[in-house]
Amino acid sequence: MTDKTKYSNISVSKETYSSLQKLSKDILPNASLSISKTVTYLVNCKIKESNEYLRSQGYQTEEIGFTPPKKIMHWVINNTNNKGDKNGKK
């Protein structure tokens, strides 16, 4: 049985699934790579690419120990505790 605390499921179109199969063969031509590992690999590549772009633009990323300013952290904490409807109204 799959551990629901570690994994989630996604649905993709048949066209996307077919593309993922092709990509899995391109990533590791001499081995079989599962579709889930292919998705994980592609997501990690995209995150790394985004972090490199942000660093090149002078932004700090979580990867290098970015900590949001205290003002933002307090705002998130204070607004997380407020309960209201979906529009934030009490």
Side-chain angles (χ1 to χ4, degrees):
M1 186 83 184
T2 303
D3 184 355
K4 292 183 180 182
T5 61
K6 290 184 179 182
Y7 301 101
S8 292
N9 192 10
I10 62 169
S11 296
V12 295
S13 68
K14 290 186 182 240
E15 182 181 346
T16 300
Y17 190 84
S18 176
S19 296
L20 285 167
Q21 288 177 318
K22 290 176 188 173
L23 284 169
S24 70
K25 291 175 185 168
D26 290 343
I27 294 167
L28 284 177
N30 297 327
S32 60
L33 189 63
S34 69
I35 298 301
S36 63
K37 289 294 182 186
T38 303
V39 171
T40 300
Y41 173 81
L42 294 171
V43 167
N44 288 338
C45 285
K46 189 64 177 175
I47 289 171
K48 183 178 178 184
E49 181 183 302
S50 295
N51 285 340
E52 288 172 1
Y53 173 76
L54 289 173
R55 275 197 304 274
S56 73
Q57 298 298 310
Y59 293 97
Q60 292 179 329
T61 63
E62 197 173 295
E63 184 180 80
I64 59 171
F66 169 72
T67 304
K70 287 184 180 181
K71 181 179 177 182
I72 293 174
M73 291 173 60
H74 289 302
W75 182 86
V76 170
I77 291 167
N78 291 336
N79 286 305
T80 303
N81 295 332
N82 293 339
K83 294 191 177 187
D85 65 12
K86 65 180 179 180
N87 295 323
K89 297 178 184 174
K90 290 186 178 181

